[in-house]
Amino acid sequence: MTQARERGRPRGFDSEAALDRAVEVFWRHGYEGASLSDLTDAMGINRPSMYAAYGNKEELFKRAIARYAEADMAYAREALAAPTAYQVIERFLRANADALTRADRPHGCLSIQGGLAAGSDGGTVAGFLAASRLAGEAALVARLARAVDEGDLPAGTDPAALGRYVMVVSEGNAVHAAAGVGRDALHTTVDIALAAVPRRPGDTTTPA
Amino acid sequence: MTQARERGRPRGFDSEAALDRAVEVFWRHGYEGASLSDLTDAMGINRPSMYAAYGNKEELFKRAIARYAEADMAYAREALAAPTAYQVIERFLRANADALTRADRPHGCLSIQGGLAAGSDGGTVAGFLAASRLAGEAALVARLARAVDEGDLPAGTDPAALGRYVMVVSEGNAVHAAAGVGRDALHTTVDIALAAVPRRPGDTTTPA
DNA sequence: TCATTTCTGTACCGATCGGTACTGATGTGG
DNA sequence: CCACATCAGTACCGATCGGTACAGAAATGA
């Protein structure tokens, strides 16, 4: 895949690795709270290098979000592959609770604490994050709709409502995790939340 | 209650009314995103008046949170007065869904979008808000513990876990509301969430 | 009337914000 | 070796940040 060597002086840093550092800074301080000095210090590069590589702060943030979605949210895509709707939901909420409380990462969810309120800008960043979260919700809803078609969920089940409920639980857990609530407590919340998820009559996997 | 007139020049603005304007600015832009110019413009006063009356930005924010908790979260205290645990939870989540989507207020919850991540400061504001939210959770948990004692909830019920679950749902709904999701959708989520709440055997109020 | 007290308003402070001009270093192709 | 292209680093830009000094206005008590 390594095509012909570029012409001028080669870049002195790994663009993806630097992005990982930026993810962590945005995650910990939010979009507004993360200054360019914070970012470039953590990334190990100086300002002009950052601007040359990513454009500006907002573009860097979008790239960071994309990397976050790809790396730190991989569990969500994996959960969607579970055989039954109940297992999709359970695996998602369990893996989410773990991801929200990793020791080597900030607690909580970058997509939420990156920026909820409309900051100094006109809410561009908050809107971008909201759209990103709702896209994830749409993917889950699509999976649940398929489950209804397959008879895996009761006929009357509203996949949009159920998917939204699951995302609400995950977001609420993210807020709790950001407040310092521990992993066990999040899983206990998942225990209760799962009681509201309809199951196929014969399904008795992992009873509460 | 109006004690002896103060000595010097009287204050030219209503301190509580100005605080209400500050609440709205913090709510809409978050703590960091709300600049002093935003705040003083909305409050209709100038900078030195603000500093004389409230101390500094952080103290103003804490006063705004206190006013928010008293005025905009009154529904939570009212819900705690409901006769049964189920009704406490249902009234809280219903009123919460309405409060998160008031037409005359920013959508969402100030306690959350005020600041989730540790911003430029060392997370002082985020920690303050987190403590404030957890205090509300503790009040709900205390009410649910009483319900267990009264036989209003099944004997084995963990009031801390159930209270946390309810707060998680309300926080998740707040994140959704901040993203622009409408009131009806929030209530549909509450419909599902209530299915996980244990009820006393004979209780059949407001079935789903 | 006048000193005293408190508030209002302007004008300003140093620090930091996001962003960039410019010089020099380091690579490639000829 | 040389022209060219790209990156690294310093040093800087105007704007805005939270916070304040200071002078004048408006009340009180004597």
Side-chain angles (χ1 to χ4, degrees):
Chain A
M1 201 59 177
T2 39
Q3 65 222 42
R5 197 67 156 280
E6 297 294 333
R7 281 271 307 212
R9 176 174 175 174
R11 183 165 285 160
F13 61 97
D14 181 348
S15 176
E16 296 299 302
L19 211 49
D20 276 330
R21 310 290 192 84
V23 164
E24 184 132 344
V25 174
F26 281 128
W27 198 340
R28 212 176 288 279
H29 298 107
Y31 176 76
E32 290 207 329
S35 73
L36 282 184
S37 299
D38 293 336
L39 290 163
T40 53
D41 284 357
M43 298 168 83
I45 63 180
N46 47 39
R47 234 173 270 229
S49 296
M50 193 282 277
Y51 275 87
Y54 307 97
N56 58 20
K57 188 185 179 184
E58 191 174 324
E59 290 300 319
L60 172 65
F61 182 69
K62 291 183 179 177
R63 290 281 302 273
I65 293 292
R67 177 135 184 102
Y68 172 80
E70 181 196 341
D72 294 275
M73 297 263 299
Y75 67 85
R77 284 187 301 279
E78 292 169 10
L80 291 183
T84 72
Y86 186 89
Q87 285 176 305
V88 166
I89 291 171
E90 181 177 29
R91 288 190 193 180
F92 171 73
L93 289 178
R94 295 293 179 200
N96 180 63
D98 290 340
L100 294 173
T101 53
R102 285 179 53 174
D104 59 338
R105 288 269 172 180
H107 287 192
C109 173
L110 170 58
S111 301
I112 298 175
Q113 52 202 263
L116 248 195
S120 304
D121 61 346
T124 311
V125 169
F128 174 76
L129 285 177
S132 167
R133 292 194 305 268
L134 293 179
E137 180 174 317
L140 175 59
V141 167
R143 174 67 184 84
L144 298 181
R146 202 187 83 196
V148 172
D149 290 344
E150 293 171 348
D152 185 31
L153 282 172
T157 305
D158 179 354
L162 183 56
R164 194 190 308 125
Y165 165 74
V166 171
M167 294 304 295
V168 161
V169 170
S170 90
E171 287 165 357
N173 258 350
V175 173
H176 261 63
V181 173
R183 177 174 292 184
D184 291 349
L186 303 189
H187 278 290
T188 304
T189 298
V190 173
D191 292 341
I192 299 178
L194 287 173
V197 177
R199 313 178 69 158
R200 190 166 41 182
D203 191 359
T204 54
T205 52
T206 57
Chain B
M1 204 59 176
T2 40
Q3 65 222 40
R5 195 68 155 281
E6 299 292 334
R7 281 270 309 212
R9 176 174 175 173
R11 182 165 287 160
F13 62 96
D14 180 348
S15 176
E16 296 299 302
L19 211 48
D20 276 330
R21 310 290 191 84
V23 164
E24 185 132 344
V25 174
F26 282 127
W27 199 340
R28 212 175 288 279
H29 299 106
Y31 176 77
E32 289 206 328
S35 73
L36 282 183
S37 298
D38 292 336
L39 289 163
T40 52
D41 284 357
M43 298 167 83
I45 64 181
N46 45 39
R47 232 174 269 229
S49 296
M50 193 283 276
Y51 275 87
Y54 307 98
N56 58 20
K57 188 186 180 183
E58 189 174 325
E59 289 300 318
L60 173 65
F61 183 69
K62 290 183 179 177
R63 290 281 303 273
I65 293 292
R67 177 136 184 102
Y68 172 80
E70 182 196 342
D72 294 274
M73 297 264 299
Y75 68 85
R77 285 187 299 280
E78 292 169 8
L80 290 183
T84 73
Y86 186 88
Q87 286 177 306
V88 166
I89 292 171
E90 181 177 29
R91 288 189 193 181
F92 171 74
L93 288 178
R94 294 294 179 200
N96 180 63
D98 290 339
L100 293 173
T101 52
R102 286 180 52 174
D104 59 339
R105 289 268 173 180
H107 287 191
C109 173
L110 170 57
S111 301
I112 298 175
Q113 51 202 268
L116 248 197
S120 306
D121 62 345
T124 312
V125 169
F128 174 76
L129 286 177
S132 168
R133 292 194 305 269
L134 292 179
E137 180 173 317
L140 175 59
V141 167
R143 174 66 184 86
L144 297 181
R146 202 188 81 197
V148 172
D149 290 344
E150 292 172 347
D152 185 30
L153 283 171
T157 305
D158 179 354
L162 183 57
R164 192 189 312 123
Y165 166 74
V166 171
M167 294 304 296
V168 161
V169 171
S170 91
E171 288 165 356
N173 258 348
V175 173
H176 261 64
V181 173
R183 177 174 291 185
D184 291 350
L186 303 189
H187 279 289
T188 304
T189 298
V190 173
D191 292 342
I192 299 178
L194 287 173
V197 177
R199 312 179 67 160
R200 189 165 41 183
D203 191 359
T204 54
T205 51
T206 58

